[in-house]
Amino acid sequence: MKSVALVTEYNPFHNGHLYHAQQSKSITNSDISIAIMSGNFVMRGEPAIYNKFTRARMALSAVDLVVELPAYASVSAGQYFAKTAVKIADYLNVSHLSFGSESGDIDAFLSLAQSIDKVEQSPRFSEKLKEGKSYPRILSELIADNDLLSSPNNTLGLSYVRAIQAHAPSIQPWTISRLQSTHHDNEIAHQTFASGTSIRQSLIKQTDQWKAVVPPEVHMHYEAPHISVSDTFNYLKYAILSHDATTLEQIYTMSEGIENRILQMIEQATSFDHLMTLLKTKRYTYTHIQRLLMNILLNFKKQNVPSSINAVRILGMTKRGQQYLKQLKNAFPERNFVTQINKQNANCFTNEIHATKIYNLISGQTATDFNTPVIRK
């Protein structure tokens, strides 16, 4: 069976995701589509609006298999996020990896990837790193007038291409053009397609605008309880105050003494938004700070960053997905594809189990990695 992987968050699932899944499967002539999906915390640096089990049910309206992206990767910047997703795709023996982009031109991504390889070897790149400039900023300064570096989806797509070249050259990358809405649109302005940001705003404001841009088949799942990053504040404040500068410095993605600023500002902060305002500097983007705060909340530490894929968690599958999984198990008996977490295999998913516990603490929900078996459709 020929398969295509889609690296996703489905936060939450909408018409744009359905279009991407359908087009990816059709254009790559694949028999099976696989969503490699973030769990209960996402790349934006916040809890997912719906838990991973609800979002997996949504995803099965469009794909054949839903697997969980490891929790460390889910709250990481593009390079580690993409590298881990590509390693998962390779573990699943996929033929293609398809991502959404504003560009829609895979040749442009391949060409830019070559240019970046050359730039990273240059003395000027090393100099700018020593100046403390961020990786995206260095690229924008050294590779002028390239539209692929001007939007988050294109930048992430580039990370997928480079990760495939470095870690899984047998996978063929492909890209599908995004339609109508852009990544950070705050309002639903189109009658068919909208950004995840605008849909989350509609849900938080309790309007029904989202209904027009979400497949009717998944409307029922939108009735589940949802949460936002604001709900984390009291738990986050406790987590920060449980540290001193020495232990806080050990948190994953903590760097350059920002732990001291966090300890200083948390005393003054009255809400999550207020804390973000106090912490923001020219050096760091809001998204970087939010990811850092989620790593504190989850107590993810630098020394525990996973370096390899030893098992994959299957969250959901259709009958065709089940057939593909059976094929994988026959072809790769040494690989570990887990459909039910138990005491014997829980050590493979320590971070994901912990993230679910924290998510449930904040949201009051009860679906855990132990009491929720693989979702079948």
Side-chain angles (χ1 to χ4, degrees), residues 195-244:
S195 69
T197 301
S198 62
I199 293 171
R200 288 190 295 274
Q201 287 300 309
S202 175
L203 288 165
I204 290 168
K205 294 176 181 177
Q206 297 183 327
T207 73
D208 61 0
Q209 287 182 301
W210 61 266
K211 290 183 178 180
V213 294
V214 172
E217 188 174 350
V218 303
H219 279 198
M220 67 184 80
H221 300 306
Y222 271 62
E223 296 175 1
H226 59 77
I227 65 174
S228 71
V229 72
S230 298
D231 297 319
T232 69
F233 179 68
N234 287 335
Y235 303 93
L236 176 63
K237 187 168 186 176
Y238 175 82
I240 293 171
L241 292 174
S242 298
H243 285 280
D244 58 24

Side-chain angles (χ1 to χ4, degrees), residues 27-245:
I27 290 173
T28 62
N29 196 28
S30 295
D31 305 296
I32 297 293
S33 55
I34 303 172
I36 302 171
M37 189 185 79
S38 294
N40 283 326
F41 290 81
V42 298
M43 191 184 186
R44 290 170 57 87
E46 59 187 33
I49 193 164
Y50 296 116
N51 72 34
K52 62 187 180 185
F53 308 113
T54 297
R55 287 163 35 245
R57 291 184 177 92
M58 294 179 184
L60 289 175
S61 67
V63 302
D64 300 295
L65 204 60
V66 184
V67 306
E68 184 172 3
L69 183 69
Y72 262 83
S74 294
V75 287
S76 292
Q79 286 175 297
Y80 184 69
F81 181 98
K83 180 175 74 172
T84 307
V86 165
K87 286 184 175 182
I88 292 281
D90 192 43
Y91 198 91
L92 293 164
N93 197 39
V94 305
S95 309
H96 291 78
L97 187 147
S98 174
F99 56 90
S101 70
E102 279 76 16
S103 165
D105 181 356
I106 193 61
D107 290 333
F109 282 97
L110 294 170
S111 176
L112 182 56
Q114 290 182 339
S115 298
I116 291 176
D117 287 339
K118 294 178 182 178
V119 164
E120 287 184 342
Q121 304 304 316
S122 70
R124 293 185 65 196
F125 182 85
S126 299
E127 290 169 6
K128 289 182 180 292
L129 273 180
K130 291 177 182 177
E131 292 171 9
K133 292 182 178 178
S134 68
Y135 182 80
R137 182 178 173 185
I138 294 173
L139 291 186
S140 66
E141 290 180 0
L142 296 183
I143 302 177
D145 301 324
N146 195 304
D147 291 339
L148 292 188
L149 297 174
S150 63
S151 69
N153 284 299
N154 285 343
T155 304
L156 186 56
L158 182 63
S159 295
Y160 294 138
V161 170
R162 300 190 72 212
I164 287 171
Q165 292 173 342
H167 303 286
S170 63
I171 295 176
Q172 184 175 342
W174 193 255
T175 187
I176 306 293
S177 296
R178 289 173 60 90
L179 296 180
Q180 302 298 330
S181 65
T182 59
H183 184 67
H184 291 305
D185 284 348
N186 286 311
E187 298 291 335
I188 297 176
H190 190 265
Q191 55 185 312
T192 304
F193 297 102
S195 69
T197 301
S198 62
I199 293 171
R200 288 190 295 274
Q201 287 300 309
S202 175
L203 288 165
I204 290 168
K205 294 176 181 177
Q206 297 183 327
T207 73
D208 61 0
Q209 287 182 301
W210 61 266
K211 290 183 178 180
V213 294
V214 172
E217 188 174 350
V218 303
H219 279 198
M220 67 184 80
H221 300 306
Y222 271 62
E223 296 175 1
H226 59 77
I227 65 174
S228 71
V229 72
S230 298
D231 297 319
T232 69
F233 179 68
N234 287 335
Y235 303 93
L236 176 63
K237 187 168 186 176
Y238 175 82
I240 293 171
L241 292 174
S242 298
H243 285 280
D244 58 24

Side-chain angles (χ1 to χ4, degrees), residues 8 12 30 76 78 97 108 112 132-133 168 174 180 205 236 251 301 306 322-323 326 331 344 347-348 375-376:
T8 69
S30 295
S76 292
L97 187 147
L112 182 56
K133 292 182 178 178
W174 193 255
Q180 302 298 330
K205 294 176 181 177
L236 176 63
I251 294 294
K301 297 177 181 178
Q322 187 173 4
Q323 291 171 359
K326 183 178 180 180
Q344 285 68 45
N347 64 311
C348 297
I375 299 158
R376 301 176 187 269

Side-chain angles (χ1 to χ4, degrees), residues 242-255:
S242 298
H243 285 280
D244 58 24
T246 301
T247 59
L248 197 58
E249 192 276 333
Q250 298 170 20
I251 294 294
Y252 177 52
T253 68
M254 192 75 68
S255 63

Side-chain angles (χ1 to χ4, degrees), residues 273-341:
D273 288 342
H274 186 206
L275 177 60
M276 288 293 296
T277 301
L278 294 172
L279 292 177
K280 182 69 178 76
T281 68
K282 291 181 179 180
R283 188 172 185 80
Y284 298 111
T285 64
Y286 273 100
T287 303
H288 175 83
I289 296 173
Q290 283 201 181
R291 279 196 292 262
L292 177 55
L293 294 177
M294 290 304 103
N295 287 327
I296 297 172
L297 179 69
L298 296 169
N299 199 33
F300 282 173
K301 297 177 181 178
K302 296 172 184 176
Q303 64 265 33
N304 297 330
V305 179
S307 58
S308 59
I309 304 299
N310 300 312
V312 168
R313 171 76 189 283
I314 312 297
L315 290 174
M317 56 188 175
T318 63
K319 287 185 178 180
R320 288 181 65 82
Q322 187 173 4
Q323 291 171 359
Y324 184 76
L325 189 60
K326 183 178 180 180
Q327 176 183 301
L328 283 177
K329 290 179 177 179
N330 289 334
F332 306 101
E334 76 285 0
R335 297 184 185 179
N336 196 8
F337 304 101
V338 176
T339 55
Q340 176 67 59
I341 289 184

